[in-house]
Amino acid sequence: MKLREVHTDQELEKVYGDGQGFREKGFDFTYRMNVLSSAVRLCLDRFTIESIADLACADCLPIASSIVVGQELPALHLGDFAKVNVANAKQLFKQYKSLTYYHGRIEDTVDEIPKVDLFILNEILELVSEPEKVLSKIKTRARYVVVLTPCNEKKREDGFNNCWSWNYDDFKKMLVRANFIPMMGQLIQFDFDTIFKNNYQLWILS
């Protein structure tokens, strides 16, 4: 279900132009990032991962917190609508095989990256104009994908919504239409009044 129109470039610049965006400080944000990081670590442990892409990486924290200290980093392809803070990224990733940066909307930059072993989609699909099209593009470029997105988001009176809302089953159907095989799905439910009043869902795909 579409909740609102997609941000224009000018609107995105106001919100995400500094590379930080809106960063929640609450328990639910910290928990979501921990769950996402655990899923990335699981992929690193269980599969042969030599390259990772995150084209909405903001401050790179989910990737950074997923890397075991001392582990040789795979090739990283980092991007965002805001220009990636290169100095910050190099400080976070002191060991890496290669580090490549992309600037722009994920709808465009996904066409610029080479094939990768793991693609991270951290709370970005709900903000793009054609989420299923983006998923289909990613399927041609990634062996595995970790996705975190809201679940069953409700339209707010103040209009402070993401662009798209989907429940667990409908989102799974969209993943299958994009030719993914869902390996694991997890509902993240908060029984208290969070900032965005959202629950979330996490998926590992092949």
Side-chain angles (χ1 to χ4, degrees):
M1 178 176 69
K2 194 168 188 178
L3 298 176
R4 65 165 175 82
E5 294 302 315
V6 175
H7 281 313
T8 65
D9 285 354
Q10 291 75 17
E11 290 169 334
L12 282 175
E13 185 66 32
K14 289 180 181 179
V15 180
Y16 300 105
D18 62 356
Q20 299 298 316
F22 183 89
R23 281 298 182 192
E24 304 163 71
K25 303 299 182 182
F27 170 84
D28 59 312
F29 172 76
T30 302
Y31 185 81
R32 291 188 333 255
M33 293 305 100
N34 284 341
V35 172
L36 176 68
S37 296
S38 295
V40 174
R41 282 196 298 271
L42 177 64
C43 292
L44 288 169
D45 290 340
R46 299 290 294 179
F47 310 129
T48 301
I49 303 296
E50 296 184 352
S51 54
I52 297 176
D54 184 345
L55 298 181
C57 67
D59 51 19
C60 307
L61 288 178
I63 296 180
S65 59
S66 301
I67 303 300
V68 178
V69 175
Q71 176 177 322
E72 183 180 7
L73 295 183
L76 298 178
H77 299 271
L78 303 178
D80 204 282
F81 178 81
K83 291 184 178 179
V84 176
N85 187 323
V86 176
N88 183 49
K90 287 186 175 181
Q91 181 64 26
L92 290 171
F93 308 118
K94 293 181 179 179
Q95 297 172 280
Y96 53 85
K97 294 178 181 178
S98 67
L99 195 53
T100 309
Y101 305 97
Y102 305 83
H103 178 221
R105 289 178 180 264
I106 190 173
E107 300 97 309
D108 302 320
T109 54
V110 68
D111 293 323
E112 301 175 17
I113 66 169
K115 290 186 176 181
V116 296
D117 295 314
L118 179 63
F119 200 110
I120 298 171
L121 279 169
N122 178 20
E123 299 183 24
I124 184 62
L125 273 182
E126 62 273 15
L127 294 171
V128 303
S129 57
E130 298 180 274
E132 192 167 334
K133 183 177 180 181
V134 171
L135 281 170
S136 296
K137 285 185 176 184
I138 292 171
K139 176 60 181 173
T140 67
R141 285 170 164 73
R143 293 174 55 226
Y144 301 100
V145 178
V146 175
V147 185
L148 180 65
T149 189
C151 186
N152 205 25
E153 180 176 349
K154 306 299 183 185
K155 191 170 182 63
R156 294 166 53 122
E157 291 184 3
D158 60 9
F160 198 59
N161 279 108
N162 290 305
C163 302
W164 295 96
S165 172
W166 30 61
N167 63 30
Y168 189 89
D169 291 333
D170 287 342
F171 191 74
K172 183 177 181 180
K173 290 176 183 177
M174 183 168 66
L175 296 174
V176 172
R177 288 197 301 271
N179 293 318
F180 281 107
I181 299 174
M183 302 172 65
M184 187 278 288
Q186 176 183 352
L187 177 62
I188 304 171
Q189 182 167 320
F190 298 104
D191 292 324
F192 61 91
D193 195 15
T194 63
I195 294 176
F196 290 115
K197 306 181 188 302
N198 289 335
N199 293 316
Y200 291 80
Q201 51 188 310
L202 176 89
W203 295 87
I204 298 179
L205 315 170
S206 65

